Amino acid sequence: MRAKSKKPNPNPGLRECAESRIGSRPAGKRTHLDPKLPTPDRLIHELQVHQIELELQNTELREVRDRMERLLQKFTELYDFAPVGYFSLDEQGRIREVNLTGSVLLNVERSRLIGTRLARFIAPLSPPVFPIFLDRLISGAEKPTCEVILLKAGGRPFWANCHGAMAVELEESHKVYRVAVSDITAFKAAEDARRRLEFVTRTNRELKEEIVRRRAVEASLKASERNTTKLLRDSRRMQDMLRHLSRGVLQAQEEERKRISRELHDQITQTLVGIHVQLESLSREASTLPPKLRQRITQTQRLVEASVNIVREFARELRPSVLDDLGLIASLRSFLKEFTERSGIRVRFSTFAGLDQLKSDRRIVLYRVAQSALTNVFEHAKASQVSIDIQQEGEDIRMRITDDGQAFNVHQVLTDRHGKRLGILGMRERLEMVGGSLAITSHPGEGTTVLAKLPFHRITRPHAHPTS
Amino acid sequence: MKPITVLLAEDHTVVREGLRALLEAEGDIRVVGEASTGRQAVVLAQKLTPNVVVMDIAMPLLNGLEATRQIRKILPDSKVLILSAHSEEVYIEQVLAMGAMGYLLKQTSAHVLSDAVRDVNQGKTFLCPTIQNRRRSAPVSARIPLSSRELEVLQLIAEGHANKQVAAELVISVKTVEKHRQRLMEKLNIHDTAGLTRHAIASGIIESSIHLTIT
């Protein structure tokens, strides 16, 4: 600021102010100023005024400077302690200026940041949006923003929000771009938490729906289980009924066989024998008869004999009378002898004398089981030897039939729906009917063993013909 | 000569009457009583002491087997001749063991009844010709001549011995046994061990094929 003398005073207030101050100066030097006086006094006066003017201006300037300094300090404080980091970047993205918050954010001294590319602090995991942001900033886009993960020196990453601002001329021909960076980790975390909460809420809702759905499924499962249980129970009952029925059938069959066998034996055989005997009498009296007739009588007798044999064989197949007449040992012996003659398979038979005390209905069971087992041996096993061992074992009778032939797959045979089951079910059924059980083991190289067990129920009355 | 006294125990009237007629036709046999149950047979036997009791097995109240046992006990001298429709050997064994003297198959009894009565009266055992024939009968293959060595081998095989055991028993080599076995099979036209065993039993080379143990 320069003082003006000859020129018209741009600040007329200043002169007035200076002139008023002359009057207040010490008296000795004060001269009453007559404007018309072109004297040295007048020149002195002018100089005094000018001096005062200068002093005034100086004071004013000092005050302005002080105010300026105060403002600058205020600005610096505002700039440095702003809640966001301010980065001024050049066109290459290098940091030209940074406030204190910025350097704190990155945990790097300000002086060391200058000249460094801000992109250096982008974490590798960050979304790759910073270069785009920078491009937009430089190309003058209006307020570009981006969210990136920055790495503090020392390694801790944080979410940062970058706001681009207008370009500013810093020096000649050097533009800088202001970027405000704020740490939004907390915000991000909150957002994450919110998102998680949302997710949890959604999951929760889905779970609830799932629970409802599952309950429905469970309910229907329970219903179907109840249904299945009922079906199972029904099927068991049916099975029991069937078993009962089949046992009934077996028993009835056995009784019926016995009855028919008896009938055949007592009625048919006897009648045929009667006819035979009558024919014999007739032919003896026949000395008076023509020889041709006698011959006819003899032929008829042969026919009758053949008929008796057929009927007898049939009756025997239905029910071996030996079983009732001579007991189990004798009938097994008879059966085994015939079996050997028919099959060529050698038989060993060991038992105990008390066996014939076995009740009649159990005798037939053991007999039939032995018959079935041996039929299997003959038809399937290709055995050369078979042994039957019947012994008392505590309160049970145990019959073991072992052959040295080919083994078979017991399970497969038992579960074969279509094929023959080798009469095993029949054997088992007969045994279970009288409280017994059946077990079959068959291993290649060891042949087959049929093991039958049943409680030893003895006949109550003394045996018809005890072996004494 | 004193006629042979006979008690007829048979529950079937037609048969009983027919048999009576047949026996009566013989001059030396006299039917002194008839019974239709086993119990009646025992009572009448004790009362009439006949020489011979002709006894049916299947009779009501007390069967012929038990009646036989009781009669034999009371009258040890009486001879029992069993009549039966059963031809199983066990029956024959059983009745003979009980002291019966004879066994007749009903269906063929008419021809031989009187001969049987005479035989048992003399203390001879009488078995029905059919049974005796069967006991003696042999299959066609039995008529095929085998060398004595072959017969030996056949018997041992049928008895269940392995080639090695047969060789040891006959002091010949296993190879020779195999040769014999081969020849046997060719001659008899039987090609398995079971068949050879069957043949041996049927032709009487081995006797009983059941190995029986009663304790």
Side-chain angles (χ1 to χ4, degrees):
Chain A
M1 200 169 288
R2 278 171 292 151
K4 292 161 188 169
S5 51
K6 302 279 167 47
K7 287 176 189 170
N9 200 333
N11 190 353
L14 182 64
R15 186 171 176 97
E16 277 165 36
C17 194
E19 286 202 336
S20 76
R21 288 207 182 188
I22 289 175
S24 65
R25 297 250 164 153
K29 296 197 173 174
R30 176 102 28 119
T31 326
H32 182 71
L33 223 63
D34 184 353
K36 291 162 193 128
L37 288 176
T39 64
D41 282 351
R42 185 164 179 84
L43 196 65
I44 289 165
H45 176 75
E46 278 300 315
L47 282 171
Q48 277 177 337
V49 168
H50 189 64
Q51 188 193 350
I52 291 167
E53 271 181 13
L54 281 175
E55 280 171 3
L56 280 173
Q57 276 183 333
N58 198 20
T59 309
E60 204 178 327
L61 271 173
R62 219 180 286 130
E63 280 172 3
V64 166
R65 198 199 61 203
D66 286 351
R67 218 168 46 240
M68 286 285 286
E69 274 177 0
R70 275 201 304 279
L71 275 172
L72 182 67
Q73 194 170 351
K74 214 168 165 186
F75 165 77
T76 309
E77 276 173 21
L78 276 173
Y79 177 70
D80 277 346
F81 297 106
V84 296
Y86 283 114
F87 293 85
S88 306
L89 307 181
D90 63 16
E91 287 178 340
Q92 279 74 46
R94 280 191 296 258
I95 299 168
R96 309 297 300 191
E97 274 177 6
V98 60
N99 70 349
L100 189 64
T101 310
S103 83
V104 170
L105 269 178
L106 297 180
N107 198 22
V108 178
E109 272 171 46
R110 239 192 289 197
S111 59
R112 300 175 73 176
L113 277 176
I114 305 303
T116 316
R117 290 155 57 91
L118 182 56
R120 243 192 60 188
F121 295 91
I122 305 284
L125 277 173
S126 173
V129 292
F130 191 74
I132 301 163
F133 165 80
L134 207 58
D135 279 352
R136 295 185 64 215
L137 183 63
I138 290 164
S139 59
E142 188 112 333
K143 290 183 179 174
T145 61
C146 74
E147 285 182 359
V148 289
I149 300 172
L150 294 180
L151 269 178
K152 251 183 218 299
R156 201 173 68 78
F158 66 97
W159 272 98
N161 189 353
C162 304
H163 277 267
M166 294 260 221
V168 184
E169 298 269 358
L170 186 66
E171 293 154 28
E172 288 174 23
S173 74
H174 274 296
K175 270 187 179 173
V176 290
Y177 305 87
R178 297 237 191 265
V179 176
V181 177
S182 47
D183 182 348
I184 54 162
T185 302
F187 170 73
K188 273 279 176 191
E191 199 177 60
D192 264 9
R194 189 183 53 77
R195 210 175 288 142
R196 225 171 287 141
L197 184 71
E198 238 171 49
F199 175 75
V200 168
T201 312
R202 199 176 58 236
T203 312
N204 229 359
R205 198 173 54 235
E206 282 172 7
L207 266 176
K208 273 181 188 159
E209 284 166 10
E210 179 69 13
I211 286 169
V212 169
R213 208 173 57 77
R214 291 216 174 160
R215 283 218 179 114
V217 170
E218 202 182 336
S220 82
L221 263 179
K222 268 187 187 156
S224 97
E225 198 186 303
R226 269 198 302 278
N227 210 14
T228 312
T229 312
K230 189 180 169 299
L231 278 175
L232 202 69
R233 209 172 42 233
D234 285 357
S235 113
R236 288 227 179 91
R237 207 176 47 231
M238 291 288 268
Q239 234 173 1
D240 282 350
M241 273 167 65
L242 266 178
R243 182 166 299 145
H244 189 73
L245 197 69
S246 85
R247 285 176 186 180
V249 166
L250 268 177
Q251 205 152 7
Q253 186 193 43
E254 206 55 71
E255 277 160 19
E256 196 62 3
R257 280 176 160 206
K258 194 173 175 177
R259 199 186 63 76
I260 295 170
S261 172
R262 271 273 130 85
E263 192 78 1
L264 285 174
H265 194 264
D266 290 352
Q267 301 303 322
I268 315 293
T269 310
Q270 298 288 54
T271 305
L272 286 172
V273 169
I275 292 168
H276 190 271
V277 173
Q278 296 288 349
L279 285 172
E280 185 69 24
S281 295
L282 195 63
S283 79
R284 298 249 171 121
E285 290 164 15
S287 48
T288 55
L289 295 174
K292 213 170 184 180
L293 193 57
R294 274 171 75 177
Q295 207 181 334
R296 288 282 290 279
I297 291 171
T298 311
Q299 280 171 355
T300 312
Q301 276 185 301
R302 295 275 172 276
L303 276 177
V304 173
E305 280 170 38
S307 306
V308 171
N309 286 333
I310 289 166
V311 170
R312 213 189 55 82
E313 196 55 44
F314 185 48
R316 199 171 64 101
E317 261 169 38
L318 285 173
R319 168 89 178 190
S321 57
V322 191
L323 201 59
D324 300 310
D325 292 337
L326 304 181
L328 184 56
I329 298 176
S331 29
L332 279 175
R333 208 150 58 82
S334 176
F335 168 69
L336 292 173
K337 194 169 157 60
E338 206 175 294
F339 173 80
T340 302
E341 285 162 4
R342 196 174 69 240
S343 68
I345 299 170
R346 286 183 310 284
V347 179
R348 302 177 82 88
F349 176 31
S350 47
T351 185
F352 66 108
L355 179 64
D356 274 323
Q357 287 168 17
L358 188 65
K359 265 189 162 179
S360 163
D361 61 334
R362 277 119 220 272
R363 247 185 266 167
I364 188 72
V365 169
L366 271 189
Y367 183 83
R368 294 287 189 217
V369 170
Q371 214 175 15
S372 285
L374 284 163
T375 304
N376 286 343
V377 171
F378 178 46
E379 286 176 359
H380 307 288
K382 295 205 173 103
S384 65
Q385 188 162 322
V386 62
S387 76
I388 299 194
D389 182 42
I390 306 177
Q391 300 300 340
Q392 186 174 354
E393 221 175 59
E395 283 305 298
D396 288 334
I397 284 187
R398 191 245 317 114
M399 174 167 77
R400 192 197 304 273
I401 301 177
T402 310
D403 70 61
D404 63 351
Q406 287 177 337
F408 68 100
N409 186 328
V410 178
H411 178 76
Q412 198 181 313
V413 167
L414 273 179
T415 50
D416 191 352
R417 283 173 159 276
H418 307 293
K420 279 185 166 185
R421 296 187 205 172
L422 310 177
I424 292 171
L425 291 183
M427 289 193 246
R428 176 160 292 159
E429 202 67 351
R430 282 176 191 280
L431 283 162
E432 286 177 358
M433 229 165 72
V434 292
S437 63
L438 179 82
I440 298 176
T441 48
S442 194
H443 299 291
E446 292 168 32
T448 301
T449 298
V450 174
L451 186 68
K453 249 185 188 178
L454 74 169
F456 193 177
H457 285 220
R458 294 169 176 86
I459 39 174
T460 40
R461 62 187 170 80
H463 196 252
H465 43 89
T467 41
S468 52
Chain B
M1 202 174 85
K2 220 175 146 192
I4 305 166
T5 55
V6 171
L7 172 63
L8 255 181
E10 161 67 63
D11 64 320
H12 206 272
T13 322
V14 180
V15 179
R16 193 173 66 239
E17 283 173 356
L19 292 175
R20 184 187 183 116
L22 283 176
L23 290 172
E24 297 274 87
E26 306 292 323
D28 57 341
I29 298 170
R30 198 156 64 84
V31 177
V32 291
E34 288 177 37
S36 58
T37 72
R39 203 170 301 290
Q40 205 181 358
V42 176
V43 173
L44 282 178
Q46 195 166 13
K47 192 173 141 197
L48 303 170
T49 60
N51 301 122
V52 175
V53 181
V54 175
M55 179 86 79
D56 182 19
I57 287 187
M59 276 190 297
L61 298 181
L62 190 66
N63 72 38
L65 294 168
E66 185 56 19
T68 301
R69 209 180 61 81
Q70 292 186 14
I71 290 168
R72 289 286 301 158
K73 212 169 162 189
I74 308 161
L75 305 165
D77 289 338
S78 65
K79 313 287 192 292
V80 179
L81 177 62
I82 296 290
L83 272 182
S84 166
H86 307 299
S87 59
E88 287 99 325
E89 291 256 355
V90 277
Y91 274 102
I92 299 156
E93 289 167 17
Q94 185 79 20
V95 300
L96 294 183
M98 281 179 170
M101 293 297 291
Y103 194 95
L104 280 190
L105 271 184
K106 271 188 172 180
Q107 50 269 48
T108 52
S109 60
H111 307 305
V112 292
L113 181 62
S114 38
D115 287 342
V117 169
R118 284 186 200 104
D119 271 13
V120 297
N121 186 48
Q122 286 172 21
K124 290 184 200 159
T125 302
F126 188 95
L127 297 180
C128 203
T130 354
I131 294 169
Q132 275 174 335
N133 287 347
R134 198 186 53 197
R135 278 186 159 186
R136 279 191 231 102
S137 74
V140 179
S141 57
R143 285 186 230 126
I144 296 164
L146 297 175
S147 73
S148 67
R149 195 18 70 95
E150 282 163 356
L151 283 170
E152 281 177 326
V153 172
L154 176 58
Q155 177 172 351
L156 290 168
I157 290 170
E159 281 168 3
H161 300 283
N163 282 0
K164 219 169 139 187
Q165 294 167 301
V166 176
E169 184 67 33
L170 300 179
V171 204
I172 53 177
S173 74
V174 175
K175 228 173 181 177
T176 314
V177 174
E178 277 166 9
K179 223 182 272 169
H180 283 306
R181 185 193 276 258
Q182 200 56 41
R183 268 190 65 79
L184 269 171
M185 287 179 164
E186 276 166 21
K187 273 190 178 178
L188 300 172
N189 196 26
I190 295 170
H191 299 284
D192 58 347
T193 310
L196 287 179
T197 310
R198 214 155 44 223
H199 173 85
I201 296 164
S203 52
I205 293 168
I206 57 171
E207 197 146 280
S208 173
S209 47
I210 305 176
H211 187 281
L212 179 68
T213 321
I214 299 178
T215 50

